[in-house]
Amino acid sequence: MVTGGPVLVEGPVEIVLEDGSIARSDRFLIALCACRRSRTYPFCDTSHRRRTRPQQP
């Protein structure tokens, strides 16, 4: 796992989101967003590659 990058999960999956809605995927491997930058959250769309976080001291 890459810090701030996606978490890979074997599918299919059903994910209950904070608002109670359910996100589903039938794919055999799913990349879940860990940085919350994805426009397709909770699924990763590689947005973490386009924007970098400021370096911690």
Side-chain angles (χ1 to χ4, degrees):
M1 182 171 108
V2 176
T3 303
V7 176
L8 299 178
V9 179
E10 290 184 20
V13 297
E14 286 189 355
I15 302 164
V16 179
L17 302 175
E18 293 173 359
D19 65 0
S21 63
I22 298 175
R24 294 181 175 90
S25 177
D26 291 331
R27 293 181 171 218
F28 66 92
L29 187 64
I30 293 93
L32 297 176
C33 179
C35 68
R36 292 190 171 259
R37 296 179 184 158
S38 176
R39 282 177 250 138
T40 60
Y41 187 83
F43 305 109
C44 181
D45 68 0
T46 68
S47 291
H48 62 274
R49 293 181 187 168
R50 290 187 286 274
R51 295 178 240 154
T52 58
R53 287 186 172 176
Q55 293 292 327
Q56 298 282 335

